[in-house]
Amino acid sequence: MTLSALLDSCGIATHPSEQSGYLACVCPACGKGAADLTDFGGSEVWLYCPRCAANNGRRFTFGEFRAEFGGERTAPENTLAYWTFADFLAREDLPLPGAVVEGLLLEGTVSFWFGPAGSGKSASAADLARCKAAGWRFLGRFPCDSGPAVLIEQESAPALLRQRLAELEAAEALPDDAATLTIIPLQGLRLDDEASRLALRELLRGLAPKLIVCDTLAALAGGTDLLDVRHVRPLMDFFREIATELSAAVLLLAHTPKWAGKEPTLAALYGSEDLGAACDSAFALCKLPTSGSTFRVAQVKNRWGADLADFTFTMEPGPEGGLVLTGGESSQAGIEDLLLDALDGGDWTPNRELTETGAGAGFSADGVRKALKRLRNDGKVEAQGSTTTREYRLAQEASL
């Protein structure tokens, strides 16, 4: 097929050189080259790289392409770093990231704190920022070294934000030696605007926080289409660049839509798995139906492999006023005991039934899955069937 025919099939009636002169493209992120429009979906503008999804594809005239890369159809020289297996294993300059909030958030990472409205996201995240500044244990469980923190609140009106922070402060005030906690209140900050991104980046560089809480992602995203990977990647790349440069943890708060139900998953993040794929860890929050003041946090993703059991916290008025957040014990032992009791009859029990049993006691489906995995690894239960039809029973040795 001739180039003209290919262009015709893309709906472009005339030769591109007659319109703009742009025929060749190359992605500086991965070196992907395209000699004509067919390699990138027939679009006259290369919005994103078809290989690595970077949105910084450059457009060249043939003359510019020849001048920079030495030929019309010559891809740029590969600049990707690589090592032999032995050399890579010998590298000792690749330390694991340090903890920003021990057991919860790491340096240089981007995480989600998500759930339906009323699930305690904003209050708990604000309390987390205060704990980081003060060096307190978050929920009495997760240790924090004192360090600068930033709370970017672009959803609640400033008066409501001040009231929420005042309630937390009334219960326990930040000590005089606390690190700086900076509040960036609602002011129309939109990260789909380059000027806003530059302003925020420069402000954060000056503040050098170790924890950055953003409430909420949708408010900050502005006109960004959170269902489109081409739009999601640049936004998440921005947060990751900030986290990496400052060795900070970025915590993004996000609402799940009403259709997500009571068991939010990564796919429930605006209906987009791209957001979940782009983050390092994610935590789903919900209010337990058995109590109006108890909330559950379930870790649904951790790129660093830590298996954090579901945990709960309560949010109640303090004895001397204010709002007090108190963490419950890890539910790991409780959920394991519950599942062992459910399997005590010795029969094979479907995974679905065990998940419903866990849900009735306030445990997430992911928490049930993790508990069953631990029980299998400990030799206490055994399983049969595929992932979708798996059944469990007490291990024969354990039931004797």
Side-chain angles (χ1 to χ4, degrees):
M1 182 181 290
T2 65
L3 178 58
S4 297
L6 289 171
L7 295 173
D8 289 340
S9 70
C10 296
I12 299 175
T14 58
H15 198 285
S17 61
E18 297 173 11
Q19 300 176 0
S20 62
Y22 287 95
L23 273 172
C25 294
V26 63
C27 175
C30 71
K32 167 69 175 175
D36 58 56
L37 301 183
T38 59
D39 275 1
F40 42 96
S43 173
E44 217 176 328
V45 178
W46 196 1
L47 296 178
Y48 73 104
C49 175
R51 174 188 288 166
C52 71
N55 73 328
N56 54 354
R58 293 170 57 193
R59 299 208 306 160
F60 296 89
T61 64
F62 274 132
E64 292 170 340
F65 197 85
R66 282 193 298 267
E68 185 160 346
F69 302 113
E72 292 182 3
R73 300 175 185 270
T74 303
E77 181 180 356
N78 178 34
T79 58
L80 295 175
Y82 63 93
W83 293 266
T84 66
F85 178 73
D87 289 343
F88 192 75
L89 287 184
R91 293 195 61 182
E92 298 182 356
D93 59 335
L94 301 172
L96 294 173
V100 173
V101 180
E102 191 172 327
L104 202 64
L105 300 174
L106 298 175
E107 294 177 345
T109 60
V110 179
S111 302
F112 274 112
W113 203 247
F114 72 100
S119 58
K121 299 184 299 296
S122 294
S124 59
D127 192 50
L128 175 60
R130 295 176 72 252
C131 288
K132 181 58 184 177
W136 295 331
R137 283 178 174 265
F138 175 53
L139 301 177
R141 174 181 177 183
F142 301 100
C144 301
D145 291 333
S146 177
V150 170
L151 174 58
I152 304 173
E153 169 61 85
Q154 295 298 295
E155 185 168 82
S156 299
L160 294 177
L161 172 61
R162 181 188 176 281
Q163 181 180 11
R164 181 186 303 142
L165 295 174
E167 290 178 343
L168 293 170
E169 188 74 1
E172 186 171 11
L174 290 178
D176 294 337
D177 61 350
T180 302
L181 172 55
T182 303
I183 309 298
I184 302 178
L186 178 66
Q187 53 192 292
L189 178 62
R190 291 171 53 124
L191 296 184
D192 60 338
D193 174 67
E194 184 177 0
S196 292
R197 290 197 302 272
L198 290 173
L200 180 58
R201 187 188 296 270
E202 289 306 308
L203 175 60
L204 292 175
R205 282 172 173 167
L207 297 172
K210 299 302 292 182
L211 174 64
I212 304 168
V213 176
C214 301
D215 190 0
T216 62
L217 176 64
L220 284 167
T224 300
D225 184 357
L226 296 176
L227 293 176
D228 191 330
V229 64
R230 293 172 293 180
H231 296 162
V232 168
R233 283 290 176 86
L235 187 64
M236 297 300 290
D237 286 347
F238 171 79
F239 289 119
R240 186 169 299 284
E241 289 166 7
I242 293 293
T244 301
E245 179 180 343
L246 301 178
S247 295
V250 174
L251 183 61
L252 304 174
L253 275 61
H255 293 299
T256 49
K258 293 181 179 180
W259 56 257
K262 298 179 180 179
E263 197 64 61
T265 65
L266 281 177
L269 281 171
Y270 304 101
S272 171
E273 293 185 357
D274 299 321
L275 287 171
C279 71
D280 296 292
S281 60
F283 304 86
L285 283 74
C286 69
K287 179 185 289 187
L288 294 184
T290 55
S291 172
S293 61
T294 302
F295 304 83
R296 185 191 70 212
V297 183
Q299 184 185 70
V300 295
K301 178 183 178 179
N302 192 328
R303 186 165 283 159
W304 295 94
D307 188 11
L308 180 65
D310 294 0
F311 62 93
T312 61
F313 66 90
T314 59
M315 190 159 49
E316 298 176 313
E320 299 181 3
L323 186 65
V324 177
L325 275 69
T326 305
E329 294 295 323
S330 167
S331 56
Q332 177 170 322
I335 190 171
E336 290 180 1
D337 289 342
L338 178 73
L339 294 173
L340 290 174
D341 287 342
L343 295 170
D344 192 38
D347 297 329
W348 289 103
T349 304
N351 177 60
R352 176 181 51 79
E353 185 176 323
L354 294 172
T355 300
E356 291 174 354
T357 299
F363 297 109
S364 68
D366 199 59
V368 172
R369 179 188 61 79
K370 291 177 182 178
L372 288 169
K373 180 179 178 181
R374 289 192 298 269
L375 291 171
R376 289 183 66 190
N377 291 340
D378 292 341
K380 295 180 180 179
V381 303
E382 53 190 23
Q384 68 175 9
S386 64
T387 303
T388 56
T389 61
R390 187 159 292 165
E391 298 178 317
Y392 295 87
R393 72 177 181 186
L394 289 179
Q396 297 304 302
E397 295 82 359
S399 61
L400 295 178

